Coordinates of all heavy atoms in Angstrom, one line a residue:
M1 N -0.9 1.8 -3.4 CA -0.9 2.8 -2.3 C -2.4 3.4 -2.3 O -2.9 3.8 -3.4 CB 0.1 3.9 -2.6 CG 0.1 5.0 -1.5 SD 1.4 6.2 -1.7 CE 2.8 5.3 -1.0
N2 N -2.9 3.5 -1.2 CA -4.3 4.0 -1.0 C -4.3 5.5 -1.0 O -3.3 6.1 -0.5 CB -4.9 3.5 0.2 CG -5.1 2.0 0.2 OD1 -5.3 1.4 -0.8 ND2 -4.9 1.4 1.4
Y3 N -5.3 6.1 -1.5 CA -5.4 7.6 -1.4 C -6.9 8.0 -1.5 O -7.8 7.2 -1.8 CB -4.7 8.3 -2.6 CG -5.3 8.1 -4.0 CD1 -6.3 9.0 -4.4 CD2 -5.0 7.0 -4.8 CE1 -6.8 8.9 -5.7 CE2 -5.5 6.9 -6.0 CZ -6.5 7.8 -6.4 OH -7.0 7.6 -7.7
K4 N -7.2 9.2 -1.0 CA -8.5 9.7 -1.1 C -8.4 11.2 -1.6 O -7.4 11.9 -1.4 CB -9.2 9.8 0.3 CG -8.5 10.7 1.3 CD -9.3 10.7 2.6 CE -8.6 11.6 3.7 NZ -9.3 11.6 4.9
V5 N -9.4 11.5 -2.5 CA -9.4 12.8 -3.1 C -9.9 13.8 -2.1 O -11.0 13.5 -1.4 CB -10.2 12.8 -4.4 CG1 -10.4 14.1 -5.0 CG2 -9.6 11.8 -5.4
I6 N -9.3 15.0 -2.0 CA -9.8 16.0 -1.0 C -10.6 17.0 -1.8 O -10.2 17.5 -2.9 CB -8.5 16.7 -0.4 CG1 -7.5 15.7 0.2 CG2 -8.9 17.8 0.6 CD1 -8.1 15.0 1.4
D7 N -11.7 17.3 -1.2 CA -12.6 18.4 -1.8 C -11.9 19.8 -1.7 O -11.7 20.3 -0.5 CB -14.0 18.4 -1.2 CG -14.9 19.5 -1.7 OD1 -14.5 20.1 -2.8 OD2 -16.0 19.6 -1.2
Q8 N -11.4 20.3 -2.7 CA -10.6 21.6 -2.6 C -11.5 22.8 -2.1 O -10.9 23.7 -1.5 CB -10.1 22.0 -4.0 CG -9.1 21.0 -4.5 CD -8.5 21.4 -5.9 OE1 -8.2 22.6 -6.0 NE2 -8.3 20.5 -6.8
E9 N -12.7 22.8 -2.3 CA -13.6 23.8 -1.8 C -13.7 23.8 -0.3 O -13.9 24.9 0.4 CB -14.9 23.9 -2.5 CG -14.8 24.2 -4.0 CD -14.0 25.5 -4.3 OE1 -14.3 26.5 -3.7 OE2 -13.2 25.4 -5.1
T10 N -13.8 22.7 0.3 CA -14.0 22.6 1.8 C -12.7 22.2 2.5 O -12.7 22.1 3.8 CB -15.0 21.5 2.1 OG1 -14.6 20.3 1.6 CG2 -16.4 21.9 1.5
Y11 N -11.6 22.1 1.8 CA -10.3 21.7 2.4 C -9.9 22.8 3.4 O -9.8 24.0 3.1 CB -9.3 21.5 1.3 CG -7.9 21.1 1.8 CD1 -7.7 20.1 2.8 CD2 -6.7 21.6 1.2 CE1 -6.5 19.7 3.2 CE2 -5.5 21.2 1.6 CZ -5.3 20.3 2.6 OH -4.1 19.9 3.0
Y12 N -9.6 22.4 4.7 CA -9.3 23.5 5.7 C -8.0 24.2 5.4 O -7.8 25.3 5.9 CB -9.3 22.8 7.1 CG -8.1 22.0 7.5 CD1 -7.1 22.6 8.3 CD2 -7.9 20.7 7.0 CE1 -6.0 21.8 8.6 CE2 -6.8 20.0 7.3 CZ -5.8 20.5 8.1 OH -4.7 19.8 8.5
R13 N -7.1 23.6 4.6 CA -5.9 24.3 4.3 C -5.8 24.8 2.8 O -4.8 24.9 2.2 CB -4.7 23.4 4.5 CG -4.6 22.9 6.0 CD -3.4 22.1 6.2 NE -2.3 23.0 6.2 CZ -1.0 22.6 6.4 NH1 -0.7 21.3 6.5 NH2 0.0 23.4 6.4
K14 N -7.0 25.1 2.2 CA -7.2 25.5 0.9 C -6.3 26.7 0.5 O -5.6 26.7 -0.5 CB -8.6 25.9 0.6 CG -8.9 26.4 -0.7 CD -10.4 26.8 -0.9 CE -10.7 27.5 -2.1 NZ -12.1 27.9 -2.2
G15 N -6.2 27.7 1.4 CA -5.4 28.9 1.1 C -4.0 28.6 1.1 O -3.2 29.1 0.2
V16 N -3.5 27.8 2.0 CA -2.1 27.4 2.1 C -1.7 26.6 0.9 O -0.7 26.9 0.2 CB -1.8 26.6 3.4 CG1 -0.4 26.1 3.4 CG2 -2.1 27.5 4.6
F17 N -2.6 25.7 0.5 CA -2.3 24.8 -0.7 C -2.2 25.6 -1.9 O -1.3 25.5 -2.7 CB -3.3 23.7 -0.8 CG -2.9 22.7 -1.7 CD1 -2.1 21.6 -1.4 CD2 -3.4 22.7 -3.1 CE1 -1.7 20.6 -2.2 CE2 -3.0 21.7 -4.0 CZ -2.2 20.7 -3.6
R18 N -3.1 26.6 -2.1 CA -3.1 27.4 -3.2 C -1.9 28.3 -3.3 O -1.3 28.5 -4.4 CB -4.4 28.4 -3.3 CG -4.6 29.1 -4.6 CD -5.4 30.3 -4.5 NE -4.9 31.3 -3.5 CZ -3.8 32.1 -3.7 NH1 -3.1 32.0 -4.8 NH2 -3.4 32.9 -2.8
H19 N -1.5 28.9 -2.2 CA -0.4 29.7 -2.1 C 0.9 29.0 -2.6 O 1.7 29.5 -3.5 CB -0.1 30.2 -0.7 CG 1.2 31.0 -0.5 ND1 1.4 32.2 -1.1 CD2 2.3 30.6 0.1 CE1 2.6 32.6 -0.8 NE2 3.2 31.6 0.0
F20 N 1.1 27.8 -2.1 CA 2.3 27.0 -2.4 C 2.3 26.3 -3.7 O 3.3 25.8 -4.2 CB 2.7 26.0 -1.3 CG 3.2 26.8 -0.1 CD1 2.5 26.9 1.1 CD2 4.5 27.3 -0.1 CE1 3.0 27.6 2.2 CE2 5.0 28.0 1.0 CZ 4.2 28.1 2.2
T21 N 1.1 26.2 -4.4 CA 1.1 25.6 -5.7 C 1.0 26.6 -6.8 O 1.3 26.4 -7.9 CB -0.1 24.6 -5.8 OG1 -1.3 25.3 -5.5 CG2 0.1 23.4 -4.9
E22 N 0.5 27.9 -6.4 CA 0.3 28.9 -7.5 C 1.2 30.1 -7.3 O 1.7 30.6 -8.3 CB -1.1 29.4 -7.5 CG -2.1 28.2 -7.9 CD -3.6 28.7 -7.8 OE1 -3.8 29.9 -7.7 OE2 -4.5 27.8 -7.8
D23 N 1.4 30.6 -6.1 CA 2.1 31.8 -5.8 C 3.6 31.7 -5.8 O 4.3 32.6 -6.1 CB 1.6 32.5 -4.6 CG 0.2 32.9 -4.6 OD1 -0.4 33.0 -5.7 OD2 -0.5 33.1 -3.6
C24 N 4.1 30.6 -5.3 CA 5.5 30.4 -5.2 C 5.9 29.0 -5.6 O 5.2 28.1 -5.4 CB 6.0 30.8 -3.8 SG 5.4 29.8 -2.5
K25 N 7.1 28.9 -6.0 CA 7.7 27.5 -6.3 C 8.6 27.2 -5.1 O 9.6 28.0 -4.9 CB 8.5 27.5 -7.6 CG 7.7 27.8 -8.8 CD 6.6 26.7 -9.1 CE 5.9 27.0 -10.3 NZ 4.7 26.2 -10.5
C26 N 8.3 26.2 -4.4 CA 9.2 26.0 -3.2 C 9.5 24.5 -3.2 O 8.9 23.7 -3.9 CB 8.4 26.3 -1.9 SG 6.8 25.5 -1.8
S27 N 10.6 24.2 -2.4 CA 11.0 22.8 -2.3 C 11.7 22.7 -0.9 O 12.0 23.7 -0.3 CB 12.0 22.5 -3.4 OG 13.2 23.2 -3.3
T28 N 12.0 21.5 -0.5 CA 12.7 21.3 0.7 C 13.9 20.3 0.3 O 13.8 19.6 -0.6 CB 11.8 20.6 1.7 OG1 11.3 19.3 1.2 CG2 10.6 21.4 2.1
S29 N 14.9 20.5 1.2 CA 16.0 19.6 0.9 C 16.7 19.4 2.3 O 16.5 20.2 3.2 CB 17.0 20.2 -0.1 OG 17.5 21.4 0.4
M30 N 17.5 18.4 2.4 CA 18.3 18.1 3.6 C 19.6 17.4 3.1 O 19.7 16.6 2.2 CB 17.5 17.1 4.4 CG 18.2 16.7 5.7 SD 17.2 15.6 6.7 CE 17.8 14.1 6.2
T31 N 20.6 17.8 3.8 CA 22.0 17.3 3.5 C 22.5 16.7 4.8 O 22.5 17.3 5.9 CB 22.9 18.4 3.0 OG1 22.3 19.0 1.8 CG2 24.3 17.8 2.7
T32 N 23.0 15.5 4.7 CA 23.7 14.9 5.8 C 24.7 13.9 5.4 O 24.6 13.4 4.2 CB 22.6 14.2 6.7 OG1 23.3 13.7 8.0 CG2 22.0 13.0 6.0
R33 N 25.6 13.6 6.2 CA 26.7 12.6 5.9 C 26.2 11.2 6.4 O 25.8 11.1 7.5 CB 28.0 12.9 6.6 CG 28.7 14.1 6.0 CD 30.0 14.3 6.7 NE 30.7 15.4 6.1 CZ 31.5 15.4 5.1 NH1 31.8 14.2 4.5 NH2 32.1 16.5 4.7
I34 N 26.2 10.2 5.5 CA 25.9 8.9 5.9 C 27.0 7.9 5.3 O 27.5 8.2 4.2 CB 24.5 8.4 5.4 CG1 24.3 8.6 3.9 CG2 23.4 9.2 6.1 CD1 23.0 8.0 3.3
D35 N 27.2 6.9 6.0 CA 28.2 5.9 5.5 C 27.5 4.8 4.6 O 26.6 4.1 5.1 CB 28.8 5.1 6.8 CG 29.9 4.1 6.4 OD1 30.2 4.0 5.2 OD2 30.4 3.5 7.3
V36 N 27.8 4.8 3.3 CA 27.2 3.9 2.4 C 28.1 2.8 1.9 O 27.9 2.2 0.9 CB 26.7 4.7 1.2 CG1 25.6 5.6 1.5 CG2 27.8 5.4 0.4
T37 N 29.2 2.6 2.7 CA 30.2 1.6 2.3 C 29.6 0.2 2.1 O 29.9 -0.5 1.1 CB 31.3 1.5 3.4 OG1 31.8 2.8 3.6 CG2 32.4 0.6 3.0
D38 N 28.7 -0.2 3.1 CA 28.1 -1.5 3.0 C 27.2 -1.6 1.8 O 27.1 -2.6 1.1 CB 27.4 -1.9 4.2 CG 28.3 -2.2 5.4 OD1 29.5 -2.4 5.2 OD2 27.8 -2.1 6.6
L39 N 26.5 -0.5 1.5 CA 25.5 -0.5 0.4 C 26.3 -0.5 -1.0 O 25.9 -1.2 -1.9 CB 24.6 0.8 0.4 CG 23.6 0.9 -0.7 CD1 22.7 -0.3 -0.7 CD2 22.9 2.2 -0.6
V40 N 27.4 0.1 -1.1 CA 28.2 0.1 -2.3 C 28.8 -1.3 -2.5 O 28.6 -1.9 -3.6 CB 29.4 1.1 -2.2 CG1 30.5 0.8 -3.3 CG2 29.0 2.5 -2.2
A41 N 29.3 -1.9 -1.4 CA 29.7 -3.3 -1.5 C 28.6 -4.3 -1.9 O 28.8 -5.2 -2.7 CB 30.4 -3.8 -0.2
S42 N 27.4 -4.1 -1.3 CA 26.3 -5.0 -1.6 C 25.8 -4.8 -3.0 O 25.5 -5.8 -3.7 CB 25.2 -4.7 -0.6 OG 24.0 -5.4 -1.0
S43 N 25.9 -3.6 -3.5 CA 25.4 -3.3 -4.9 C 26.4 -3.9 -5.9 O 26.0 -4.6 -6.9 CB 25.4 -1.8 -5.1 OG 24.5 -1.2 -4.3
K44 N 27.7 -3.9 -5.6 CA 28.7 -4.5 -6.5 C 28.6 -6.0 -6.5 O 28.6 -6.7 -7.5 CB 30.1 -4.1 -6.1 CG 30.4 -2.7 -6.5 CD 31.9 -2.3 -6.0 CE 32.2 -0.9 -6.4 NZ 33.5 -0.4 -6.0
A45 N 28.3 -6.6 -5.2 CA 28.3 -8.0 -5.1 C 27.0 -8.6 -5.8 O 27.1 -9.7 -6.4 CB 28.2 -8.4 -3.7
S46 N 25.9 -7.8 -5.9 CA 24.7 -8.3 -6.5 C 24.6 -7.9 -7.9 O 23.7 -8.2 -8.6 CB 23.5 -7.8 -5.7 OG 23.4 -6.4 -5.7
G47 N 25.5 -7.0 -8.4 CA 25.5 -6.5 -9.7 C 24.4 -5.6 -10.1 O 23.9 -5.5 -11.2
T48 N 23.9 -4.9 -9.0 CA 22.8 -3.9 -9.2 C 23.4 -2.5 -9.0 O 24.5 -2.3 -8.6 CB 21.7 -4.2 -8.1 OG1 22.3 -4.1 -6.8 CG2 21.1 -5.5 -8.3
K49 N 22.6 -1.5 -9.5 CA 23.0 -0.1 -9.4 C 22.9 0.5 -8.0 O 21.8 0.3 -7.3 CB 22.1 0.7 -10.4 CG 22.2 0.3 -11.8 CD 23.6 0.7 -12.4 CE 23.6 0.4 -13.9 NZ 24.8 0.8 -14.5
F50 N 23.9 1.1 -7.5 CA 23.9 1.8 -6.2 C 22.8 2.8 -6.1 O 22.1 2.8 -5.1 CB 25.3 2.5 -6.0 CG 25.2 3.4 -4.8 CD1 25.4 2.9 -3.5 CD2 25.0 4.7 -5.0 CE1 25.3 3.7 -2.4 CE2 25.0 5.6 -3.9 CZ 25.1 5.1 -2.6
Y51 N 22.6 3.6 -7.1 CA 21.6 4.7 -7.0 C 20.2 4.1 -6.8 O 19.4 4.6 -5.9 CB 21.6 5.5 -8.3 CG 20.7 6.7 -8.2 CD1 20.9 7.8 -7.4 CD2 19.6 6.8 -9.1 CE1 20.1 8.9 -7.3 CE2 18.8 7.9 -9.1 CZ 19.0 8.9 -8.2 OH 18.1 10.0 -8.1
I52 N 19.8 3.1 -7.5 CA 18.5 2.5 -7.4 C 18.4 1.8 -6.0 O 17.3 2.0 -5.3 CB 18.3 1.4 -8.5 CG1 18.3 2.0 -9.9 CG2 17.0 0.6 -8.2 CD1 17.3 3.1 -10.1
N53 N 19.4 1.2 -5.5 CA 19.4 0.6 -4.2 C 19.2 1.7 -3.1 O 18.5 1.5 -2.1 CB 20.6 -0.2 -4.0 CG 20.7 -1.5 -4.8 OD1 19.7 -2.0 -5.3 ND2 21.9 -1.9 -5.1
F54 N 20.0 2.8 -3.3 CA 19.9 3.9 -2.3 C 18.5 4.5 -2.3 O 17.9 4.7 -1.2 CB 20.9 4.9 -2.7 CG 20.9 6.1 -1.7 CD1 21.5 6.0 -0.5 CD2 20.3 7.3 -2.1 CE1 21.5 7.1 0.4 CE2 20.3 8.4 -1.3 CZ 20.9 8.3 0.0
L55 N 17.9 4.7 -3.5 CA 16.6 5.3 -3.5 C 15.5 4.3 -2.9 O 14.6 4.8 -2.1 CB 16.1 5.5 -4.9 CG 16.8 6.7 -5.6 CD1 16.3 6.9 -7.1 CD2 16.6 8.0 -4.9
Y56 N 15.7 3.0 -3.1 CA 14.8 2.1 -2.5 C 14.9 2.2 -0.9 O 13.9 2.2 -0.2 CB 15.1 0.6 -2.9 CG 14.4 -0.4 -2.2 CD1 13.1 -0.7 -2.5 CD2 15.0 -1.1 -1.1 CE1 12.4 -1.7 -1.8 CE2 14.3 -2.1 -0.4 CZ 13.0 -2.4 -0.8 OH 12.3 -3.3 0.0
L57 N 16.1 2.2 -0.4 CA 16.3 2.2 1.0 C 15.8 3.6 1.6 O 15.1 3.6 2.7 CB 17.7 2.0 1.4 CG 18.3 0.6 1.2 CD1 19.8 0.6 1.4 CD2 17.6 -0.4 2.0
L58 N 16.0 4.7 0.9 CA 15.5 6.0 1.3 C 14.0 5.9 1.4 O 13.4 6.5 2.3 CB 16.0 7.0 0.4 CG 15.6 8.5 0.7 CD1 16.1 8.9 2.1 CD2 16.1 9.4 -0.4
A59 N 13.3 5.4 0.4 CA 11.9 5.3 0.3 C 11.3 4.5 1.5 O 10.3 4.8 2.1 CB 11.4 4.8 -1.0
K60 N 12.0 3.4 1.7 CA 11.6 2.5 2.9 C 11.7 3.3 4.2 O 10.8 3.2 5.0 CB 12.5 1.3 3.0 CG 12.4 0.3 1.9 CD 11.0 -0.5 1.9 CE 11.2 -1.6 3.0 NZ 10.0 -2.4 3.1
V61 N 12.7 4.0 4.4 CA 12.8 4.8 5.6 C 11.8 5.9 5.7 O 11.1 6.1 6.8 CB 14.3 5.5 5.8 CG1 14.3 6.5 6.9 CG2 15.3 4.4 6.0
L62 N 11.6 6.7 4.7 CA 10.6 7.7 4.7 C 9.2 7.2 4.8 O 8.4 7.8 5.5 CB 10.7 8.6 3.4 CG 12.0 9.4 3.3 CD1 12.0 10.1 1.9 CD2 12.1 10.4 4.4
N63 N 8.9 6.1 4.3 CA 7.6 5.5 4.4 C 7.3 4.9 5.8 O 6.2 4.7 6.2 CB 7.3 4.4 3.3 CG 7.1 5.0 2.0 OD1 6.6 6.1 1.9 ND2 7.5 4.3 0.9
S64 N 8.4 4.7 6.5 CA 8.2 4.1 7.9 C 8.0 5.2 8.9 O 7.7 4.9 10.1 CB 9.5 3.3 8.3 OG 10.6 4.1 8.5
L65 N 8.2 6.5 8.5 CA 8.0 7.6 9.5 C 6.5 7.7 9.9 O 5.6 7.6 9.1 CB 8.4 8.9 8.9 CG 9.9 9.1 8.6 CD1 10.2 10.4 8.0 CD2 10.7 8.9 9.9
N66 N 6.3 7.9 11.1 CA 4.9 8.1 11.6 C 5.0 9.2 12.8 O 4.7 8.9 13.9 CB 4.3 6.8 12.1 CG 2.8 6.9 12.3 OD1 2.2 7.9 11.8 ND2 2.2 6.0 13.0
I67 N 5.4 10.3 12.4 CA 5.7 11.4 13.4 C 4.5 12.3 13.5 O 4.0 12.9 12.5 CB 6.9 12.2 13.0 CG1 8.1 11.3 12.9 CG2 7.2 13.3 14.0 CD1 9.4 11.9 12.3
E68 N 3.9 12.4 14.7 CA 2.7 13.2 14.9 C 3.1 14.6 15.2 O 3.9 14.9 16.0 CB 2.0 12.7 16.1 CG 0.6 13.2 16.4 CD -0.4 12.7 15.4 OE1 -0.3 11.5 15.0 OE2 -1.4 13.4 15.2
L69 N 2.6 15.6 14.4 CA 2.8 17.0 14.6 C 1.7 17.6 15.5 O 0.7 17.0 15.6 CB 2.9 17.7 13.3 CG 4.1 17.2 12.4 CD1 4.1 17.9 11.0 CD2 5.4 17.5 13.0
P70 N 1.9 18.7 16.1 CA 0.9 19.3 17.0 C -0.5 19.4 16.4 O -1.4 19.2 17.1 CB 1.5 20.7 17.3 CG 2.9 20.5 17.1 CD 3.1 19.6 16.0
D71 N -0.6 19.7 15.1 CA -2.0 19.9 14.5 C -2.6 18.6 14.1 O -3.6 18.6 13.5 CB -2.0 20.9 13.4 CG -1.2 20.4 12.2 OD1 -0.5 19.4 12.3 OD2 -1.3 21.1 11.1
G72 N -1.9 17.4 14.3 CA -2.5 16.2 14.0 C -2.1 15.7 12.6 O -2.4 14.6 12.2
F73 N -1.4 16.5 11.8 CA -1.0 16.1 10.5 C 0.1 15.1 10.6 O 1.1 15.3 11.3 CB -0.5 17.3 9.7 CG 0.0 17.0 8.3 CD1 -0.9 16.8 7.3 CD2 1.3 17.0 8.1 CE1 -0.4 16.5 6.0 CE2 1.8 16.7 6.8 CZ 0.9 16.4 5.8
L74 N 0.1 14.0 9.9 CA 1.2 13.0 9.9 C 2.1 13.3 8.7 O 1.7 13.5 7.6 CB 0.6 11.6 9.7 CG -0.2 11.1 10.9 CD1 -0.9 9.7 10.5 CD2 0.7 10.9 12.1
I75 N 3.4 13.2 9.0 CA 4.4 13.4 7.9 C 4.2 12.2 6.9 O 4.5 12.4 5.7 CB 5.8 13.4 8.5 CG1 6.0 14.7 9.3 CG2 6.9 13.2 7.4 CD1 7.3 14.8 10.0
A76 N 3.8 11.1 7.4 CA 3.7 9.9 6.5 C 2.7 10.1 5.5 O 2.6 9.4 4.4 CB 3.4 8.7 7.3
N77 N 1.7 11.0 5.7 CA 0.7 11.3 4.6 C 1.2 12.3 3.7 O 1.8 13.3 4.0 CB -0.6 11.8 5.3 CG -1.3 10.8 6.1 OD1 -0.8 9.7 6.2 ND2 -2.4 11.1 6.6
V78 N 1.1 12.0 2.4 CA 1.6 12.9 1.4 C 0.4 13.5 0.5 O -0.5 12.7 0.1 CB 2.5 12.1 0.4 CG1 3.0 12.9 -0.7 CG2 3.7 11.5 1.2
F79 N 0.4 14.8 0.4 CA -0.6 15.4 -0.5 C 0.0 15.7 -1.8 O 1.1 16.3 -1.9 CB -1.1 16.7 0.2 CG -1.9 16.4 1.5 CD1 -1.2 16.2 2.7 CD2 -3.2 16.3 1.5 CE1 -1.9 15.9 3.9 CE2 -3.9 16.1 2.6 CZ -3.3 15.9 3.8
R80 N -0.7 15.4 -2.9 CA -0.2 15.6 -4.2 C -1.4 16.1 -5.1 O -2.5 15.7 -4.8 CB 0.4 14.4 -4.8 CG 1.6 13.9 -4.1 CD 2.8 13.9 -5.0 NE 4.0 13.6 -4.3 CZ 4.7 12.5 -4.4 NH1 4.3 11.5 -5.1 NH2 5.8 12.3 -3.7
L81 N -1.1 16.7 -6.2 CA -2.1 17.0 -7.2 C -2.2 15.7 -8.1 O -1.2 15.2 -8.6 CB -1.7 18.1 -8.1 CG -1.8 19.5 -7.4 CD1 -1.3 20.6 -8.3 CD2 -3.2 19.8 -7.0
L82 N -3.4 15.2 -8.2 CA -3.7 14.1 -9.0 C -4.8 14.4 -10.0 O -5.9 14.6 -9.5 CB -4.1 12.9 -8.1 CG -4.4 11.6 -8.8 CD1 -3.1 10.9 -9.3 CD2 -5.0 10.6 -7.7
D83 N -4.4 14.5 -11.3 CA -5.4 15.0 -12.2 C -6.2 16.3 -11.8 O -7.4 16.3 -11.8 CB -6.5 13.9 -12.5 CG -5.8 12.6 -13.2 OD1 -4.8 12.9 -14.0 OD2 -6.3 11.6 -12.9
K84 N -5.4 17.2 -11.4 CA -5.9 18.5 -10.9 C -6.7 18.5 -9.7 O -7.4 19.4 -9.3 CB -6.6 19.3 -12.0 CG -5.8 19.6 -13.2 CD -6.6 20.3 -14.2 CE -5.6 20.6 -15.5 NZ -6.3 21.4 -16.5
E85 N -6.6 17.4 -8.9 CA -7.3 17.3 -7.7 C -6.3 17.0 -6.6 O -5.2 16.5 -6.8 CB -8.3 16.1 -7.6 CG -9.5 16.2 -8.6 CD -10.4 15.1 -8.6 OE1 -10.0 14.0 -8.8 OE2 -11.6 15.3 -8.4
I86 N -6.6 17.4 -5.3 CA -5.7 17.1 -4.2 C -6.0 15.8 -3.8 O -7.1 15.4 -3.5 CB -5.9 18.1 -3.1 CG1 -5.7 19.6 -3.5 CG2 -5.0 17.8 -1.9 CD1 -6.2 20.6 -2.5
A87 N -4.9 14.9 -3.6 CA -5.1 13.6 -3.1 C -4.2 13.4 -1.9 O -3.1 13.8 -1.9 CB -4.7 12.6 -4.3
E88 N -4.7 12.7 -0.9 CA -4.0 12.4 0.3 C -3.6 10.9 0.2 O -4.5 10.0 0.1 CB -4.8 12.6 1.5 CG -4.0 12.2 2.8 CD -4.9 12.4 4.1 OE1 -6.1 12.5 4.0 OE2 -4.3 12.4 5.1
F89 N -2.3 10.6 0.1 CA -1.9 9.2 0.0 C -1.6 8.7 1.4 O -0.8 9.4 2.2 CB -0.6 9.2 -0.9 CG -0.9 9.4 -2.3 CD1 -1.0 10.6 -2.8 CD2 -1.0 8.3 -3.2 CE1 -1.3 10.9 -4.2 CE2 -1.3 8.5 -4.5 CZ -1.4 9.8 -5.0
C90 N -2.2 7.6 1.8 CA -2.0 7.0 3.1 C -1.5 5.7 3.1 O -1.6 5.0 2.0 CB -3.4 7.0 3.8 SG -4.3 8.5 3.8
R91 N -0.9 5.2 4.2 CA -0.5 3.9 4.3 C -1.6 3.0 4.5 O -2.6 3.3 5.1 CB 0.5 3.7 5.3 CG 1.9 4.2 4.8 CD 2.9 3.9 5.8 NE 2.9 4.9 6.9 CZ 3.4 4.8 8.1 NH1 4.0 3.7 8.4 NH2 3.4 5.7 8.9

């Protein structure tokens, strides 16, 4: 996966990033009902673990998102701390 390191001193969202990494511990979650009957059957037939197969499919779906938000930020881009630096992971 490609990434580029963001200069923390000139990053236009520096204050926001600092707030959510230092001032508060936050997370996001989503709950929804989905039918996993076929995935359970496929996992049993192939002798693989359901949980691993589910995580793989979930990652494939999330990585396929390319939703443009009003400020131009793409959901598909992920910002993480990498060796105490902000890194933007891109497709």
Side-chain angles (χ1 to χ4, degrees):
M1 181 175 280
N2 297 328
Y3 69 92
K4 66 179 179 179
V5 174
I6 306 295
D7 180 8
Q8 293 185 41
E9 294 307 312
T10 60
Y11 182 41
Y12 78 102
R13 298 185 76 184
K14 175 183 174 181
V16 174
F17 192 85
R18 190 204 56 74
H19 172 72
F20 285 105
T21 55
E22 296 175 17
D23 297 340
C24 66
K25 299 292 182 194
C26 57
S27 63
T28 59
S29 63
M30 182 178 90
T31 302
T32 187
R33 290 183 178 270
I34 57 173
D35 182 2
V36 296
T37 306
D38 291 341
L39 182 59
V40 170
S42 176
S43 297
K44 286 181 181 178
S46 65
T48 58
K49 299 285 186 182
F50 166 81
Y51 184 68
I52 298 300
N53 294 335
F54 180 78
L55 288 179
Y56 172 78
L57 292 174
L58 180 62
K60 292 287 282 184
V61 168
L62 293 176
N63 285 332
S64 72
L65 293 178
N66 195 16
I67 300 170
E68 189 80 27
L69 297 177
D71 67 352
F73 177 79
L74 290 173
I75 289 178
N77 290 2
V78 177
F79 293 84
R80 297 239 171 110
L81 287 176
L82 181 68
D83 295 326
K84 298 184 180 181
E85 295 181 306
I86 303 171
E88 178 184 16
F89 289 81
C90 308
R91 284 189 277 160

